[in-house]
Amino acid sequence: METVAENRAFGGVQGVYSHASAETGTEMTFSVFVPPHQLGAKLPVLWYLSGLTCTHSNVTEKGEFRAACAERGIIFVAPDTSPRGEDIPDDDAYDFGKGAGFYVDAMQAPWAKTFRMRSYIENELPSLIGKNFPADMERQGITGHSMGGHGALTIALRNPGRFTSVSAFAPIVSPMNCPWGEKALSGYLGSNRDTWREYDACALIEDGARLPDLLVDQGTADNFLKDELKTGLLALACKKADIPAQIRMQDGYDHSYYFISTFMADHIGWHADRLKDGDEG
Amino acid sequence: METVAENRAFGGVQGVYSHASAETGTEMTFSVFVPPHQLGAKLPVLWYLSGLTCTHSNVTEKGEFRAACAERGIIFVAPDTSPRGEDIPDDDAYDFGKGAGFYVDAMQAPWAKTFRMRSYIENELPSLIGKNFPADMERQGITGHSMGGHGALTIALRNPGRFTSVSAFAPIVSPMNCPWGEKALSGYLGSNRDTWREYDACALIEDGARLPDLLVDQGTADNFLKDELKTGLLALACKKADIPAQIRMQDGYDHSYYFISTFMADHIGWHADRLKDGDEG
């Protein structure tokens, strides 16, 4: 692991790091904020998965998470959204290829070899974080925005017990039922929709996966709400499955980091409340 | 005045606006955050002047000021740092020309016609803000970063009584005594150093100008501290002039927005304490 940059911030260190990923076969970059802490302490980890077109840097610069993470003692990890590099296959569209990995392990050429963001986020990067940072990997939470909200929900649903706390900002809740998702899942996985279900939060819940509870914020002025995000499908799935979900429609908010940063401290508080109590009872 | 963008944030509106400036002869862009407020209320205004290479957007995206401004009821205004446009003279260097107006009214060709950032910030833009936003122009504070800290200090010193509160992040405190300043002031004003004194915070204090009090944060790991910023000169000038200055050296912080955002809430609190009490006693 190499240090790209480290800046002192809110009494801790905001770092950007890179490493050679075995899963993607590329150099991958991610950011980690480590809050001030006592020597030898192990801190809970909050994963933040980013949306379409983003790298680690969008939330790192605009997310306004550091004040709350410093106050509550939370490590904040922000991965990239796809493999990068000149040799990596891409697509001209913003919603497929680089910057649009959709947190799947691709099964179709030419993507299958490098677009392995599911395994990267579920296995390879957690191992690296556990080894290189003062992280208590028994206390993890996960959140994300839009495509990254989809990532957070599906990864948490597929890995019961791993995440003490789960939330999302304006998530894509059912990629099987929206244009972004249908394009990505058919492109990366192929036409057999049975293989798509493990990448669809609503389908996973329908198939029996569960979350301890859930916080979702969604802006009412979000241009993608009606056709892509379809928050109502998640509310319905949670209701049917008795998952206690707080799904908050936020009046007048859009899909931008102005929306995310407004509610970031709330989400960090939600995670901190659960991560602190998790193993200390 | 035209609206470039408005986004809901922290219960208020983060806007970006443009207008045809009579001072610069160009289209000028700036950002304004208006916090949630009661209909008809007039709110105090905090000016934030940006540093070299910046536009309004750096602090708007990375400054983390909205939470505190929403809590304290402060309007936050972030102007650009120079005129812009294809017809505007420029220099290849990052520290002269576009993005480096140094908040002066230039006297040398080819700059004098358009590089009128002093008059723009002191007169034209305040008038526009007063007319178009719910701003109480009797309650103004000013702050800024680096070149913008220089701007905030010198504008406040030259306009006694206008600003109830003054602060700065890593300001250039004496452009007459550092490479950035000597290049800019000689280039914009000419070789007669007597004309430079009204653009030098330490010289203005030496010449009798005063501030009610002052908050400055300066990182100890700031690469520009020793040769360009020279915080010690300001501390000395304030001491000699009996200006009660809190100049805080912040251990391990650099010159970036990671530093600025860390102490932004402190500065907004400093301004809010003074602006709220100013006219309500």
Side-chain angles (χ1 to χ4, degrees):
Chain A
M1 190 184 87
E2 288 185 23
T3 300
V4 176
E6 287 188 333
N7 298 78
R8 191 150 190 79
F10 291 92
V13 175
Q14 178 62 61
V16 178
Y17 308 92
S18 69
H19 69 119
S21 165
E23 289 292 351
T24 67
T26 65
E27 195 78 2
M28 292 292 287
T29 303
F30 59 94
S31 83
V32 178
F33 177 66
V34 177
H37 60 280
Q38 295 202 313
L39 196 67
K42 293 279 191 181
L43 309 177
V45 175
L46 178 58
W47 294 84
Y48 176 93
L49 305 185
S50 294
L52 287 167
T53 77
C54 290
T55 69
H56 68 281
S57 71
N58 304 69
V59 72
T60 306
E61 295 179 352
K62 302 179 186 175
E64 304 197 19
F65 57 83
R66 280 174 289 271
C69 283
E71 189 186 333
R72 302 299 298 264
I74 305 268
I75 291 176
F76 190 99
V77 180
D80 202 348
T81 54
S82 78
R84 308 275 176 183
E86 288 184 11
D87 300 340
I88 299 303
D90 199 8
D91 187 280
D92 287 341
Y94 76 98
D95 57 0
F96 193 62
K98 286 179 190 168
F102 268 84
Y103 307 99
V104 305
D105 283 349
M107 303 194 297
Q108 297 293 305
W111 314 101
K113 191 177 166 201
T114 55
F115 276 67
R116 297 186 51 76
M117 291 302 291
R118 171 183 176 168
S119 291
Y120 177 71
I121 300 288
E122 288 190 1
N123 302 318
E124 187 176 20
L125 191 54
S127 168
L128 195 76
I129 297 297
K131 276 181 201 151
N132 289 279
F133 297 91
D136 178 358
M137 301 306 280
E138 299 299 312
R139 289 188 292 162
Q140 296 185 68
I142 192 164
T143 187
H145 172 236
S146 195
M147 176 183 76
H150 144 74
L153 293 171
T154 54
I155 290 170
L157 284 161
R158 284 196 308 264
N159 293 276
R162 182 188 294 194
F163 298 99
T164 308
S165 52
V166 184
S167 78
F169 300 87
I172 301 171
V173 306
S174 184
M176 296 179 75
N177 290 295
C178 72
W180 278 343
E182 294 197 30
K183 178 178 179 180
L185 297 184
S186 61
Y188 294 133
L189 303 179
S191 58
N192 179 359
R193 292 173 69 100
D194 290 344
T195 66
W196 299 12
R197 294 185 71 81
E198 59 186 331
Y199 296 111
D200 184 296
C202 291
L204 282 162
I205 293 171
E206 201 179 303
D207 293 347
R210 292 293 178 268
L211 297 172
D213 56 4
L214 175 63
L215 173 64
V216 171
D217 278 310
Q218 172 62 56
T220 63
D222 185 327
N223 286 334
F224 302 112
L225 172 55
K226 182 166 165 284
D227 294 331
E228 301 284 5
L229 307 174
K230 300 189 176 178
T231 318
L233 294 180
L234 180 65
L236 191 62
C238 287
K239 192 177 172 192
K240 280 188 187 170
D242 279 327
I243 295 172
Q246 284 191 36
I247 298 179
R248 311 189 301 191
M249 300 305 291
Q250 300 289 2
D251 189 38
Y253 285 86
D254 60 24
H255 201 63
S256 72
Y257 270 92
Y258 295 110
F259 155 68
I260 298 169
S261 59
T262 296
F263 299 104
M264 181 62 84
D266 274 10
H267 282 244
I268 289 166
W270 165 278
H271 289 275
D273 287 347
R274 285 155 181 77
L275 292 166
K276 292 293 182 185
D277 297 341
D279 289 0
E280 289 167 4
Chain B
M1 191 183 85
E2 287 185 23
T3 300
V4 177
E6 286 186 336
N7 298 78
R8 192 150 191 80
F10 291 92
V13 175
Q14 178 62 60
V16 177
Y17 308 93
S18 69
H19 70 118
S21 165
E23 289 293 349
T24 67
T26 65
E27 195 79 2
M28 293 292 286
T29 303
F30 58 95
S31 83
V32 179
F33 177 66
V34 177
H37 60 280
Q38 295 202 312
L39 196 69
K42 292 280 192 180
L43 309 176
V45 175
L46 177 58
W47 294 84
Y48 176 94
L49 304 185
S50 294
L52 288 167
T53 76
C54 290
T55 69
H56 68 281
S57 71
N58 304 69
V59 72
T60 305
E61 295 178 352
K62 302 178 187 176
E64 305 197 18
F65 56 83
R66 281 175 288 271
C69 283
E71 188 186 335
R72 302 298 300 263
I74 305 267
I75 291 175
F76 190 98
V77 180
D80 202 348
T81 55
S82 79
R84 308 276 175 182
E86 287 184 13
D87 300 340
I88 299 302
D90 199 7
D91 187 280
D92 286 341
Y94 76 97
D95 57 359
F96 193 63
K98 286 178 190 169
F102 267 83
Y103 306 99
V104 305
D105 283 349
M107 303 193 297
Q108 299 292 305
W111 314 101
K113 191 176 166 201
T114 55
F115 276 67
R116 296 186 52 77
M117 291 302 291
R118 170 184 177 167
S119 292
Y120 176 71
I121 300 288
E122 288 190 0
N123 302 319
E124 187 176 19
L125 191 53
S127 168
L128 195 75
I129 297 296
K131 276 181 202 151
N132 290 280
F133 297 91
D136 178 358
M137 301 306 280
E138 300 299 312
R139 291 190 291 164
Q140 295 184 68
I142 192 165
T143 187
H145 172 235
S146 195
M147 177 183 76
H150 145 75
L153 293 171
T154 54
I155 290 170
L157 285 160
R158 284 196 307 265
N159 294 277
R162 182 188 293 195
F163 298 98
T164 308
S165 53
V166 184
S167 78
F169 300 86
I172 301 171
V173 307
S174 184
M176 296 178 74
N177 291 295
C178 70
W180 278 344
E182 294 197 29
K183 177 178 181 179
L185 297 184
S186 61
Y188 294 134
L189 304 178
S191 58
N192 179 359
R193 292 174 69 100
D194 290 345
T195 66
W196 298 11
R197 295 186 70 82
E198 59 186 332
Y199 295 111
D200 184 296
C202 291
L204 282 161
I205 293 171
E206 200 179 306
D207 294 347
R210 292 294 177 266
L211 298 171
D213 57 4
L214 176 62
L215 173 65
V216 170
D217 279 309
Q218 172 62 55
T220 62
D222 186 327
N223 287 334
F224 302 112
L225 173 54
K226 182 166 166 282
D227 294 333
E228 301 284 5
L229 307 175
K230 299 188 175 180
T231 318
L233 295 179
L234 180 65
L236 191 63
C238 286
K239 193 178 173 191
K240 280 188 185 170
D242 280 328
I243 295 172
Q246 284 191 37
I247 298 179
R248 309 190 302 192
M249 300 305 291
Q250 300 289 2
D251 189 39
Y253 285 87
D254 60 23
H255 201 62
S256 72
Y257 269 92
Y258 295 111
F259 155 69
I260 298 169
S261 60
T262 297
F263 299 104
M264 181 61 86
D266 274 9
H267 282 244
I268 289 166
W270 164 278
H271 289 276
D273 288 347
R274 286 153 181 78
L275 292 165
K276 292 294 181 183
D277 296 342
D279 288 1
E280 289 167 3

